[in-house]
Amino acid sequence: MRAIRQGFGAFASVAVLLTGIAVADEVRSSPAPAEDAPAAAPVAEGPEAFEASCRTVVQGSRVTAYCQNPYPATDSVRLHVECDRWWDVDTDSAPVEVGPADYAKLTGRCWKEVRSAWVTHQPADRAPLPGS
C-alpha cells in the first residue's frame, strides 16, 4: 500500500512539472505588447451622449418626472402623458432645457386615470424633429 502512495506522489509531481513547463513555454511564445501604444483613449465614433437620466412617478391622476443631466451637453426634455379615458385630453409639456449637472422637474396630469407617461430627449443645440 505504501508503494502505491509513493508511486502516486511521483506521478503527481511529474504531472505538475510538465504542466508548469507547458505554461512557461506558452508565456514565452506570446507576443510582447506594442511599444507605440496610444496615450489617449480612442475617440468614440457614435454620437455624444446627452440624454438626462429621468424618473417618472405617477400618483393618481398626476405625473411628475425628475430629470438630472450628468453629461456636458444640454438636453431638452418633454413630458408626455396619455390619459386612460377616451374623453380625457392627453398632454405634452413644453421643452425644458437641462444643462450639464443640472436638474429639472416636469409635471402633468389627467382628469382621471393615467394610462402611460414618458419623457423624450432632444439635444438642445439641434432643431426638434417633426412630431416630437
Side-chain angles (χ1 to χ4, degrees):
M1 179 95 146
R2 189 171 202 178
I4 294 175
R5 283 187 193 162
Q6 288 175 350
F8 179 77
F11 176 77
S13 298
V14 170
V16 169
L17 180 64
L18 290 176
T19 304
I21 291 171
V23 169
D25 187 44
E26 281 292 320
V27 170
R28 266 189 248 120
S29 66
S30 65
E35 293 291 327
D36 53 353
V43 178
E45 296 192 19
E48 183 177 331
F50 68 91
E51 289 188 4
S53 172
C54 295
R55 179 175 57 96
T56 306
V57 178
V58 178
Q59 294 177 326
S61 63
R62 298 186 183 276
V63 179
T64 306
Y66 304 94
C67 297
Q68 193 272 331
N69 186 3
Y71 298 108
T74 302
D75 186 14
S76 179
V77 294
R78 295 179 71 182
L79 175 64
H80 306 277
V81 179
E82 184 178 345
C83 301
D84 196 31
R85 307 288 174 122
W86 66 268
W87 47 263
D88 208 346
V89 179
D90 298 341
T91 59
D92 299 319
S93 73
V96 175
E97 290 191 358
V98 184
D102 202 3
Y103 171 84
K105 178 179 173 183
L106 296 93
T107 58
R109 68 180 298 269
C110 293
W111 284 102
K112 291 282 187 177
E113 301 86 11
V114 174
R115 177 175 293 167
S116 62
W118 65 95
V119 176
T120 56
H121 304 267
Q122 182 74 32
D125 51 337
R126 293 187 205 158
L129 296 173
S132 359

